[in-house]
Amino acid sequence: MTAPQAACLHAALEIGYHLLDQGASALIATEQVIRVLEQSGLFNAGKGANRQLDGVRRMDASIMEGQALRAGAVASIEGIVHPITAARLVMEETHHVLLAGPMATAFARHFKLEGQRSGAQNRRLSYDTILKRKQSRRDQHGTVGAVALDRSGTVAAGASTGGIDQMLPGRVGDTPLIGCGVYADNESGAVSMTGIGEGIIRVAVAKEICNRLALGKSPVAAAQAVLKKLETRINGTAGALVLAPDGRFAIRHVTPRMAAGWWDGKGTPTVGDQFQ
Ligand code: GLY
């Protein structure tokens, strides 16, 4: 993790905690923390989102709250800085859970969300050209996410991403899929995932971790068990933020590193890139 990334995580944790301390909902704290990370351009989300092999930046995001199990998501959205806010608006302003592609972008524009260049001028590349293209590999996948618990006892989880390296145009990962990249239920807990989405989808990791929390497993035990299943069954790689409704939490990963942090308002936020 770079020093600017660490400073950004630190600032995001402070903003999230202070919102909760002032009585904001877990949903709003989660959204606002993710907006800081999207805005920074330092992670693979928002201004820093990866481009697909045709050079176009298509992003995914989702958010969920655990009291009424409300959720919203966008997939393959283009040309905005804050997909997480588009996801919240899907949740709050429509009776749907997921909007995708150009109509997700049109929805975000209707609500006047801040724009950014998407690289859409590249989209006419032929498929033969796209299939031959290779991008230089990035060091870290860097999907951003957050989980939070508010004073009412409600948990929330969210995530936002530009996807992974070497993505075909139109590829969608785990992040906008409720139960895969994100889940939140006051009767079990909140989970936000980072890592290679293809594996996370096949194991439905976020819901699988919540199911174990509901059976009484600790956040550490639930995260470890499901990440081990992901690794051993399908050679997947991922990291998880897990928060129980009683405040216990875990940050666990089966990647070499995962930039993350936490704060309960005491002392200063803890930020690191190895949590084992
Ligand atoms: N976890 C992010 C993605 O696979 O798109």
Side-chain angles (χ1 to χ4, degrees):
M1 176 169 48
T2 64
Q5 285 175 323
C8 185
L9 284 181
H10 207 278
L13 286 162
E14 285 186 337
I15 287 166
Y17 182 81
H18 286 310
L19 281 167
L20 293 167
D21 197 39
Q22 288 159 13
S25 67
L27 185 85
I28 292 300
T30 296
E31 180 195 358
Q32 292 301 321
V33 163
I34 291 174
R35 281 178 64 97
V36 171
L37 304 173
E38 289 174 333
Q39 186 74 38
S40 72
L42 298 170
F43 302 93
N44 175 17
K47 286 188 174 173
N50 272 357
R51 290 177 190 277
Q52 298 194 320
L53 281 168
D54 60 355
V56 179
R57 188 178 264 149
R58 297 180 184 88
M59 300 167 288
D60 303 329
S62 69
I63 195 161
M64 182 168 188
E65 61 84 32
Q67 198 266 324
L69 305 182
R70 293 182 306 151
V74 289
S76 275
I77 196 166
E78 296 178 31
I80 61 162
V81 176
H82 296 299
I84 194 66
T85 296
R88 179 182 56 76
L89 288 167
V90 171
M91 182 184 106
E92 291 185 337
E93 302 292 335
T94 80
H95 57 287
H96 306 305
V97 170
L98 173 60
L99 292 182
M103 295 319 294
T105 305
F107 175 81
R109 294 220 167 103
H110 172 75
F111 285 97
K112 302 193 170 16
L113 297 194
E114 184 183 345
Q116 68 167 328
R117 291 168 74 92
S118 72
Q121 71 279 3
N122 295 325
R123 83 169 87 241
R124 287 171 201 272
L125 286 177
S126 79
Y127 223 81
D128 279 341
T129 308
I130 288 167
L131 288 170
K132 284 185 202 131
R133 279 190 147 192
K134 287 271 181 294
Q135 293 165 325
S136 54
R137 296 194 82 80
R138 292 160 61 116
D139 287 337
Q140 293 167 336
H141 300 292
T143 291
V144 304
V147 291
L149 168 64
D150 66 27
R151 282 189 187 157
S152 75
T154 287
V155 293
S160 178
T161 190
I164 57 173
D165 292 331
Q166 320 297 343
M167 284 176 292
L168 288 176
R171 179 266 187 192
V172 173
D174 61 297
T175 301
L177 303 183
I178 301 302
C180 298
V182 158
Y183 203 71
D185 182 350
N186 286 359
E187 295 181 2
S188 55
V191 176
S192 177
M193 297 302 303
T194 182
I196 305 295
E198 281 70 6
I200 297 169
I201 292 168
R202 287 159 66 199
V203 176
V205 171
K207 185 64 164 70
E208 179 99 17
I209 291 176
C210 281
N211 288 348
R212 288 169 198 244
L213 293 174
L215 292 172
K217 299 286 182 204
S218 70
V220 170
Q224 280 177 336
V226 179
L227 290 174
K228 185 165 185 191
K229 174 177 175 180
L230 179 76
E231 237 185 343
T232 54
R233 291 284 301 277
I234 62 168
N235 201 23
T237 55
L241 307 174
V242 183
L243 177 62
D246 63 6
R248 290 174 301 151
F249 73 94
I251 304 172
R252 284 291 181 280
H253 49 102
V254 288
T255 49
R257 294 178 186 280
M258 175 178 164
W262 58 275
W263 198 29
D264 60 3
K266 300 187 187 95
T268 54
T270 297
V271 169
D273 61 8
Q274 283 189 303
F275 296 84
Q276 298 304 341

